[in-house]
Amino acid sequence: MQEAVEITQAKGRICRDIMSELSDWFTDRDVIEACAKAVETLPMFACVEADTIAGFVALRAHPPAAMEILVIATRRRYHRSGIGKSLLSAAEAFARSSDCKLLTVKTLAPRGRNEPQYEKTRAFYDRNGFIRAETFPTLWRESDPCLFFVKPLTSIN
Ligand SMILES: CC(C)(COP(=O)(O)OP(=O)(O)OC[C@H]1O[C@@H](n2cnc3c(N)ncnc32)[C@H](O)[C@@H]1OP(=O)(O)O)[C@@H](O)C(=O)NCCC(=O)NCCS
C-alpha cells in the first residue's frame, strides 16, 4: 500500500484539480472553490504516484476530540487501488497524534435517486470502520441531505 505524505504547498490547486476531475461526484463549482480555499490552511496528506498526486485528504480539527475529513478524493484512474485506504490511515494517525477520539466525515445521504457514485462513497466509509451516526436533512440544503459518519479511534467502554 502506498503511504500518504503531508503536503504543504499548492494545496488549493491540488484540491481544485482532483475535485474538478471527479465530475460525477462534485458538480457544484462553488463547492469546489470553497474547498480549494479552505484546504490552504488545513493539514493535507496525499499519495504520489510517479509525478502525479493520485489522491488527497484534508482535515479540520474540532477540538478537543474530533478530527473531520473535510474532503477526500482519489483520481478516477486510481480508484480501488488502495489510495483511499492509505489516505484514511494518514488521517487516522494525524487524528490520534492530535489526541482525537473520533474521525468524522459528512457526505451526501441517500435521497431516493439512482446515484451509484454516492453509494460507492458511502460503501467506502462503511467498509473502513465508519458508523452512520446521523442524517441532517437541512444542514446543507433540502436537496442535499447530509449523512454524518463517525469512526471511534478508541474502544468505547
Ligand atoms: C471514496 C474514494 C476516496 C475511495 O478511494 P479509493 O482510492 O478508490 O479507495 P480504496 O481503493 O483505498 O478502497 C479501500 C476499500 O474501501 C472499500 N471501497 C472503496 N470503494 C468502494 C466501492 N466503490 N464499493 C464498495 N467498497 C468500496 C473497499 O473495502 C476497498 O477495499 P478493496 O478494494 O480491497 O475491496 C474514491 O472513490 C473517490 O475519490 N470518490 C469520489 C470522491 C468522493 O466521494 N469523496 C468523498 C466525499 S465525502
Side-chain angles (χ1 to χ4, degrees), residues 62-73:
H62 295 278
M67 187 68 68
E68 177 183 7
I69 295 175
L70 183 78
V71 54
I72 183 170

Side-chain angles (χ1 to χ4, degrees), residues 121-139:
T121 299
R122 292 186 287 265
F124 171 69
Y125 295 122
D126 285 334
R127 293 199 193 174
N128 286 283
F130 287 80
I131 297 160
R132 298 181 184 217
E134 191 165 356
T135 299
F136 298 103
T138 55
L139 181 67

